[in-house]
Amino acid sequence: MSKDKKPIIHISNVSKHFGDFKALEDVSLEVETGEKVVVIGPSGSGKSTLLRTINKLETISKGSIVVNGFDLNAPSVDINKVRQDVGMVFQSFNLFRHKTALENLTLAPIKLRNTSKEDAARQGLALLAKVGIEGKADQYPVQLSGGQQQRVAIARALAMNPKIMLFDEPTSALDPEMIGEVLDVMVKLAKEGMTMVVVTHEMGFAREVADWIVFMDEGRILEIGTPTHFFENPEHPRLKKFLAQIL
Amino acid sequence: MKTKTNTLSEEKGKAVIVIGDGAAIPLKRDAGLFTAWRIAFVGACLILAGLIIFKPDPYLQIFKFLPDGIFVTFQVTIGSIALAIVIGLVAGLGRMSKIRIINLIASTYIEIIRGIPLLVQLFYLYYALGRFLLVPDILAAIIAMSVCYGAYMAEVIRAGIESIDWGQTEAAQSLGFNRTQTMFYVILPQAWRTILPPVGNEFIALLKDTSLVSILAVSDLLRRGREFASESFLYFETYTMIAIIYLIITLILSKLVAQMEERLGRYEQR
Ligand SMILES: Nc1ncnc2c1ncn2[C@@H]1O[C@H](COP(=O)(O)OP(=O)(O)OP(=O)(O)O)[C@@H](O)[C@H]1O
Ligand SMILES: [Mg+2]
């Protein structure tokens, strides 16, 4: 968001309509390499929609999005190639149910990057160790707790060596005692310099990790600022109200 | 007594595909049905053996006359099921296609096939294929059967695919898999479990329906029986043997399907 570097995510004047309903309205946001952006806002404000436009799981009605140098709306763009460099973590984990934890990690590198099975398994095991569940490599998703599943899901995204990681409320579906283990992994990732866009209600995480916090309401970005700014002198009345409700 | 599909839908909220007609597939935990299967199977084998041993004339003669027919029945069944799965997959995926024309072709095919009785289709395709393409008898029968069964298979496959949570597709696509890769690496391997029980039932129903091809010039089990009966005039004895043999084959098949299903379901179990 400073002017000296080129943003890796460049969202300009984006609108998204579902029929008559405006889920996003003239949204602009720039994220530079290595930055961590946390998106907050009330339910239905368009946070997920915005996040999902970044890897084109959601198409846009107006505006433009450039990710990693690729204009997502250009007819020539190979969206599958773009997505290989953009990891995504979902609220509901979405692990491949027919694959073990390790197979969840190795499937994409083997099929999409032509990584050999041995290399993929080695890298996969290292990633499972990194998220703290190397012992569960041969378990199927149903055999894992929610926190473990979400950590596998993060590792699965990391297995493609993405340049950007998107998180859509990664801890919202978890029992309280498992939230910490997932946030720890995300903090670790942030410290390693990963570019991250995170939709979350975890204000502690936002305060600790975010370079910028984005507040959305009714499809618009109402305020962007540093954590200090956000928590010490929020400006927009609706942001004040929102923070009063959740803190 | 609950069926497998019902249990599934209650436990996991999965889609239910219920296709009637086929023999019921026995389940281990379904003790009553399992016993019924055993009674039927052991009973049929005993009667068959008893007839052959204690009344070799004419039953042993009939029995010796039939293996060729059994072989042809198997040929037609296995050929038809394989081809029907391919046709069903193409038509099922076609029905889900966003490309209008493909969708329309697939839907029309399914609609037409479901509106014409199997026997009429068999006659029609069999004679059409034989007349215009000079296709050999057995192959013509296989094609006719699978064109028909493919339409039912398509609906089963489509329902199975649609029963898979959309999140699986999104997860695959966000990793960079294209639509085809997503389908073959992620969706179908999971949908297969939902698809298998009704496909198994279709398989068994198809085996029984192959008896219809005996009306065409295909020497399947039933036709061999008819040939024997019309020469020996032993109609009752011949059709007794035919019925028992069909029953035994069907029971074995339903057992195999149940076992395959159990193996596929394993990774879902705790
Ligand atoms: N496919 C869709 N069709 C119609 N409306 C949609 C669709 N997807 C989202 N919406 C609507 O767009 C609005 C924004 O949705 P979005 O999921 O982005 O909100 P959110 O900020 O992520 O909310 P939450 O905190 O509940 O996840 C909502 O009102 C939602 O109902
Ligand atoms: Mg959301």
Side-chain angles (χ1 to χ4, degrees), chain A residues 109-226:
Chain A
I110 291 171
K111 301 294 184 190
L112 298 173
R113 296 237 202 258
N114 287 322
T115 311
S116 73
K117 281 192 177 137
E118 296 73 34
D119 288 348
R122 195 164 345 102
Q123 288 157 16
L125 285 172
L127 278 170
L128 285 178
K130 181 173 175 177
V131 299
I133 36 178
E134 59 271 53
K136 304 283 183 187
D138 296 325
Q139 308 273 323
Y140 286 96
V142 285
Q143 298 170 304
L144 301 174
S145 73
Q148 291 168 338
Q149 286 192 55
Q150 193 61 299
R151 286 184 282 154
V152 174
I154 294 173
R156 175 177 67 180
L158 292 175
M160 288 296 281
N161 274 319
K163 298 195 171 74
I164 302 167
M165 285 285 285
L166 309 175
F167 296 81
D168 192 357
E169 301 201 27
T171 57
S172 295
L174 296 178
D175 293 337
E177 72 271 18
M178 294 172 183
I179 292 177
E181 64 195 42
V182 171
L183 289 179
D184 286 348
V185 170
M186 291 169 63
V187 169
K188 195 156 132 192
L189 200 56
K191 293 213 169 110
E192 290 172 8
M194 177 62 75
T195 308
M196 294 163 69
V197 182
V198 183
V199 176
T200 187
H201 295 296
E202 295 295 327
M203 292 303 136
F205 175 83
R207 198 189 284 263
E208 182 182 350
V209 165
D211 295 306
W212 306 99
I213 301 181
V214 172
F215 174 66
M216 294 189 69
D217 196 16
E218 294 180 350
R220 292 173 186 274
I221 293 181
L222 296 188
E223 196 155 335
I224 298 181
T226 61

Side-chain angles (χ1 to χ4, degrees), chain A residues 52 55 80 83-84 86 90 94-98 107-108 111-112 140 142 156 160, chain B residues 165 167-168 170-178 181 185-186 189-190 267-268 270:
Chain A
R52 291 158 56 84
N55 65 356
N80 300 312
R83 284 172 177 160
Q84 289 181 17
V86 183
F90 301 86
N94 296 347
L95 287 182
F96 301 138
R97 297 161 62 87
H98 61 307
L107 183 68
K111 301 294 184 190
L112 298 173
Y140 286 96
V142 285
R156 175 177 67 180
M160 288 296 281
Chain B
D165 170 22
Q168 296 285 312
E170 291 200 328
Q173 291 188 339
S174 70
L175 285 167
F177 287 109
N178 64 29
Q181 291 165 330
Y185 297 144
V186 176
Q190 297 184 59
Y267 67 84
E268 275 281 296
R270 278 255 180 182

Side-chain angles (χ1 to χ4, degrees), chain B residues 41-53:
Chain B
F41 185 70
V42 173
C45 289
L46 284 179
I47 292 171
L48 184 68
L51 288 174
I52 291 171
I53 293 167

